Amino acid sequence: MLDPQIILYKDGQPTQYSGERTYEKLEEFIETHSSEYARTQLPMAPSESEGGSVARTRPNPEGRVMEVDEKELDVFTRQGPVLVDFYAPWCSQ
């Protein structure tokens, strides 16, 4: 049985994960790419010494698993990074 593909898309460009399927290696891949995104894309939060904070909206603040259509996915991705799992209902989970 083949492992499902893990693909990270940034600005429409895919990066295929080809590492080991261990928790540690997947965590490393996600951490590397999320840290890069945070450094380059997210606004810098004011430091505590500046006495400010940045209000950020999150597309799914409760972290619920949601089934969305193409339009809803577009709305979520405009609000910030999202984790998406594409699946075929006829495939076993």
Side-chain angles (χ1 to χ4, degrees), residues 47-67:
S47 68
E48 289 182 22
S49 62
E50 295 172 3
S53 66
V54 173
R56 292 191 180 116
T57 60
R58 295 176 57 199
N60 183 4
E62 292 84 32
R64 294 186 327 257
V65 173
M66 304 170 66
E67 288 191 30

Side-chain angles (χ1 to χ4, degrees), residues 24-91:
E24 291 78 17
K25 292 296 182 181
L26 288 167
E27 180 182 33
E28 184 180 308
F29 177 77
I30 292 167
E31 182 64 33
T32 297
H33 290 284
S34 63
S35 296
E36 176 186 326
Y37 180 86
R39 283 192 309 274
T40 61
Q41 301 296 317
L42 296 176
M44 296 297 290
S47 68
E48 289 182 22
S49 62
E50 295 172 3
S53 66
V54 173
R56 292 191 180 116
T57 60
R58 295 176 57 199
N60 183 4
E62 292 84 32
R64 294 186 327 257
V65 173
M66 304 170 66
E67 288 191 30
V68 298
D69 61 20
E70 187 176 347
K71 288 181 182 179
E72 292 168 319
L73 180 59
D74 187 47
V75 169
F76 283 135
T77 56
R78 279 189 261 121
Q79 293 175 10
V82 295
L83 174 64
V84 179
D85 179 15
F86 294 98
Y87 69 95
W90 57 85
C91 293

